[in-house]
Amino acid sequence: MAVSGTQLFIDYLSLELNLDKSVAPDLGSWGRVGTTLGALSLKLSLMDMEKINNLLEIQEQSGGLFGDVAVELGYLTLGQVEKLLNIQKWCRRE
């Protein structure tokens, strides 16, 4: 039986973030959403849609990067952005 991409994602997060399996993220209905920082933030319950939409409006006006704007707004820490970027890189590898 093949392992799903979602399960690989959960396994990777558990390893990278030193999470016990009992506290691994539950991706639920968002499990198949893309690998943008916004989507990953949503998947990991770091941000809700209201914050993401607000951030995207500000990002459109300022032209800043998603992670930079998230840190400026206090939605994410720099460490969280760095982890999200690492997860994004891992998810997009060929």
Side-chain angles (χ1 to χ4, degrees), residues 7 17 70 72 87:
Q7 186 59 53
L17 303 175
E72 288 174 19
I87 293 166

Side-chain angles (χ1 to χ4, degrees), residues 49-64:
M49 282 306 301
E50 183 178 345
K51 287 182 178 178
I52 291 171
N53 286 333
N54 183 52
L55 189 152
L56 291 174
E57 287 178 23
I58 293 169
Q59 181 186 22
E60 186 176 328
Q61 295 169 3
S62 70

